[in-house]
Amino acid sequence: MQTFIESGLYAHHKHKIVLKHQQKADALQKGLKKYFSAYSFNDNNQMHTVIKLPKQTNMNKLHQELVRRRVWVDNYKGNYLTGYTQNQKFLKLNTTSLPVDKIDEGLQEIRKAIKASKTL
């Protein structure tokens, strides 16, 4: 470990990771502003982002539509205690394992899934 740090490889590796993270965060924020301007979402330049959905959104249908489109998002139900009725509906997005060039495509699919889930 000491050799890894002293040789400069750690600093080089860290720089690459930070740069890749920033590229993904930038692509995500750009896509959110482009495709989800009518929605509330956190604008914090992070890879973990939340899109707030309207209360009337049928989350079960939406998740089915997302699975059908091969878009994997966290299930919002895990963020609330059972029986809590004041919950907001949202999608949690994470770009950690997604290549930067797939972020825009993924956001388009999410937007389509939201629209399709309203008509199922």
Side-chain angles (χ1 to χ4, degrees):
M1 182 65 139
Q2 183 177 351
T3 304
F4 181 66
I5 293 171
E6 290 174 356
S7 70
L9 286 173
Y10 173 77
H12 175 72
H13 183 67
K14 179 182 170 188
H15 175 73
K16 283 176 43 178
I17 291 171
V18 169
L19 179 62
K20 194 175 276 191
H21 167 78
Q22 190 58 53
Q23 290 171 339
K24 288 180 179 187
D26 291 346
L28 181 60
Q29 291 303 312
K30 181 180 176 185
L32 286 168
K33 290 174 183 170
K34 182 177 181 180
Y35 301 116
F36 292 93
S37 60
Y39 293 82
S40 295
F41 55 87
N42 59 325
D43 190 8
N44 60 5
N45 287 324
Q46 300 296 317
M47 288 186 287
H48 304 276
T49 300
V50 174
I51 301 172
K52 185 177 175 186
L53 301 171
K55 275 279 201 195
Q56 64 272 20
T57 302
N58 184 320
M59 295 302 290
N60 290 329
K61 288 182 180 180
L62 176 57
H63 278 277
Q64 289 171 4
E65 185 64 26
L66 289 167
V67 168
R68 188 180 77 73
R69 293 172 179 277
R70 296 181 166 208
V71 175
W72 310 117
V73 296
D74 287 340
N75 188 329
Y76 79 104
K77 292 177 185 177
N79 295 286
Y80 296 103
L81 296 173
T82 303
Y84 182 68
T85 59
Q86 303 280 327
N87 56 1
Q88 298 290 318
K89 294 183 179 180
F90 59 88
L91 291 177
K92 286 174 50 177
L93 309 179
N94 180 334
T95 62
T96 302
S97 61
L98 189 64
V100 69
D101 63 335
K102 294 292 185 181
I103 292 172
D104 189 82
E105 178 184 338
L107 290 171
Q108 288 181 60
E109 289 299 319
I110 291 169
R111 186 178 69 173
K112 290 175 189 174
I114 291 169
K115 288 181 182 180
S117 69
K118 292 178 181 177
T119 59
L120 288 176

